[in-house]
Amino acid sequence: MSVDTVSLTGWGRTAPTTALRFRPRSHEEAAATVLGCGPRGSIARGLGRTHGDAAQNAGGSVLDMTGLDRVRTIDAAAGLVVCDAGTTLHRLREVMLPLGWFPPVVPGGRYVTVGGAIGSDAHGDNHRAAGSFSRHVTEFALLTADGEVRTVRPGTPLFDATAGGLGLTGVILSATLRFRPVTTALMAVDTERAAGLDDLLARMTGGHRPYEYARIDLTARGRATGRGVLVRADHVPVQALPAHARRTALALGPARRPLALPLLPRLFGRLSATALNEIGYRSAPRSRTGELQPLDAFFRALDARPHSNRVSPTGGRIHYAFLVGHGQEETLRRIVGRIARSRCPSFRAVLRRCGDGGPGWLSFPAPGWHLSLDLPAGLPGLARFLDSLDEEVAAAGGRVSLTEDARLRPGALAAMYPRLPDFRALRAELDPNGAFRSDLSRRLSL
């Protein structure tokens, strides 16, 4: 097992802290690291794709789980796979797609580890149809603070605390996942433009495709406030393909190399954000249905540029993700209007409609509207502005995503997550000496 001292951040590249990094190659090495972690504790870490500080541990230890990446067993008839926690969704897709199976939930990037997807209870563009990641986990092996490895199944308090529990109940070592059947490697995609937020919400309310999201322009103002490009999609059935194409229906095409944008770091600012949002909106079709796209083209949000987090303004990016329930559309309108009027240079904002929440006590998704956006961390007055948005979200019964968070104040947490007392009580019982800690857990007193 290798050990080194490293400075770590989340995907947003804010608030770096230094920790001792262990790279276990077996479950026994992981257990030895946890038992000897010291007073600052330890936290598991995958590929660092969460935007905040959930996988950082200043002055303590971090378990880099990417060396534990074996695909152990596959049940090709039932679509079940047993794999190590460091296995990426990309690897699983490569293994399972030729067999006619696809991950039931695809978060913002396929270079996410299975352990990270469970610990954050990841969700994707099809949350209304498929729920979050933990719904498709039949069991996982969890290394707890006493060095014991427990088999954890749905319907138990430990499962509910660990799904979305940000690694604070233990280290996920392996998991059994259930995949969904598909017959092609193609998506049928519908795209349309909405002139403003009310138009966009009306269109999203009436949609029936399982995958749905809207790229929303948060720099537009006036009647165009909240305008966006709505994208809906579904997997293409093999029967829709011509006979000659059916033999290779499950073959992934070659990945397209993204264009380099060397000037982008110098372009961050209000004018460039407005220009890029304008180009993105105007270049989208007014209405187009049934466009065939390869899986790689559709599921490419964070994957099109593997190191896109390096293309960021000085000080990194704050990723702000919140949710308000159905019936709280006025709160959403008010927040979108405030962001637009503030002229914050938001380059990537996405609106989704979420379905029923999962069992996780600290899981983020719930029925309602989920808006996420990136902002330069160095904007003057940004912390105060986002604190005020937190207050509006909490007052509406909504919540901020802890997985993506790097700056939430602890006072807002209890109103957003009503099962927080249960989570803290289980943590106190399971880990009385605080073997599992992170920058996020200290900041929010989890």
Side-chain angles (χ1 to χ4, degrees):
M1 175 171 57
S2 65
V3 184
D4 59 356
T5 300
V6 292
S7 178
L8 297 171
T9 70
W11 190 250
R13 297 171 70 84
T14 62
T17 56
T18 301
L20 199 61
R21 177 173 59 185
F22 293 82
R23 290 188 167 114
R25 294 291 176 178
S26 67
H27 294 181
E28 291 75 20
E29 288 185 351
T33 301
V34 168
L35 290 173
C37 63
R40 294 290 287 181
S42 63
I43 195 73
R45 181 183 176 94
L47 288 170
R49 289 298 175 115
T50 59
H51 286 79
D53 54 3
Q56 298 171 224
N57 187 21
S61 61
V62 169
L63 275 71
D64 183 329
M65 299 297 290
T66 55
L68 295 171
D69 61 353
R70 286 178 54 197
V71 178
R72 294 179 175 267
T73 63
I74 296 171
D75 184 339
L80 291 173
V81 60
V82 181
C83 62
D84 288 342
T87 310
T88 65
L89 299 187
H90 172 68
R91 171 87 185 284
L92 291 177
R93 192 179 72 176
E94 286 187 323
V95 170
M96 297 296 286
L97 185 62
L99 303 176
W101 299 96
F102 190 73
V105 172
V106 180
R110 65 181 182 268
Y111 296 106
V112 173
T113 63
V114 168
I118 297 172
S120 60
D121 201 13
H123 62 282
D125 298 328
N126 63 337
H127 186 268
R128 284 190 303 120
S132 52
F133 196 85
S134 66
R135 288 197 172 198
H136 309 278
V137 177
T138 63
E139 67 177 36
F140 55 78
L142 183 73
L143 171 65
T144 50
D146 55 6
E148 181 182 346
V149 177
R150 310 184 186 211
T151 298
V152 184
R153 296 186 176 91
T156 62
L158 188 50
F159 186 98
D160 297 347
T162 304
L166 308 163
L168 296 173
T169 60
V171 179
I172 298 169
L173 297 174
S174 63
T176 303
L177 312 176
R178 183 185 298 109
F179 278 53
R180 63 159 293 172
V182 295
T183 54
T184 73
L186 293 170
M187 304 292 292
V189 183
D190 302 340
T191 307
E192 56 187 298
R193 292 197 317 218
L197 184 59
D198 286 344
D199 183 22
L200 181 58
L201 296 181
R203 291 171 187 261
M204 295 181 75
T205 301
H208 300 290
R209 293 268 201 182
Y211 297 91
E212 179 185 69
Y213 68 91
R215 300 189 301 268
I216 186 171
D217 181 0
L218 293 179
T219 63
R221 291 182 294 162
R223 287 188 297 179
T225 299
R227 69 181 180 180
V229 177
L230 176 58
V231 178
R232 295 191 180 102
D234 198 355
H235 294 273
V236 175
V238 70
Q239 295 83 1
L241 299 183
H244 70 273
R246 294 180 185 179
R247 275 189 184 176
T248 57
L250 289 170
L252 281 170
R256 292 186 294 184
R257 186 179 180 86
L259 294 174
L261 294 177
L263 297 179
L264 196 56
R266 292 190 295 234
L267 292 177
F268 272 87
R270 292 184 177 89
L271 291 178
S272 57
T274 301
L276 289 174
N277 275 294
E278 180 73 21
I279 292 169
Y281 181 77
R282 296 294 177 188
S283 62
R286 290 183 181 274
S287 180
R288 181 173 60 197
T289 60
E291 179 193 11
L292 295 185
Q293 291 185 10
L295 287 170
D296 275 340
F298 183 76
F299 296 103
R300 66 175 184 175
L302 291 182
D303 301 325
R305 306 180 196 286
H307 304 292
S308 63
N309 65 326
R310 298 177 187 173
V311 183
S312 61
T314 302
R317 291 179 292 186
I318 295 292
H319 186 77
Y320 189 67
F322 72 91
L323 180 144
V324 293
H326 296 303
Q328 294 295 332
E329 286 77 10
E330 190 53 43
T331 300
L332 178 64
R333 293 185 186 96
R334 191 163 54 247
I335 291 176
V336 168
R338 287 187 61 188
I339 295 171
R341 289 192 299 274
S342 71
R343 302 195 178 196
C344 290
S346 174
F347 286 84
R348 184 176 183 273
V350 177
L351 180 66
R352 296 179 177 90
R353 191 158 58 114
C354 291
D356 292 339
W361 291 343
L362 297 186
S363 292
F364 170 67
W369 302 98
H370 164 214
L371 179 63
S372 61
L373 57 143
D374 288 334
L375 295 167
L379 283 177
L382 180 62
R384 186 169 57 252
F385 179 67
L386 293 181
D387 285 345
S388 70
L389 296 189
D390 292 342
E391 293 174 4
E392 288 209 51
V393 170
R399 58 186 58 169
V400 167
S401 171
L402 299 182
T403 303
E404 311 298 345
D405 176 58
R407 31 73 42 203
L408 183 69
R409 293 185 178 184
L413 191 62
M416 295 179 176
Y417 290 91
R419 299 300 299 270
L420 181 61
D422 297 322
F423 181 80
R424 285 174 169 158
L426 185 142
R427 277 251 297 153
E429 178 184 347
L430 195 65
D431 184 12
N433 297 318
F436 299 111
R437 301 183 187 181
S438 65
D439 292 355
L440 181 142
S441 73
R442 279 187 284 269
R443 176 167 55 84
L444 295 178
S445 300
L446 289 175

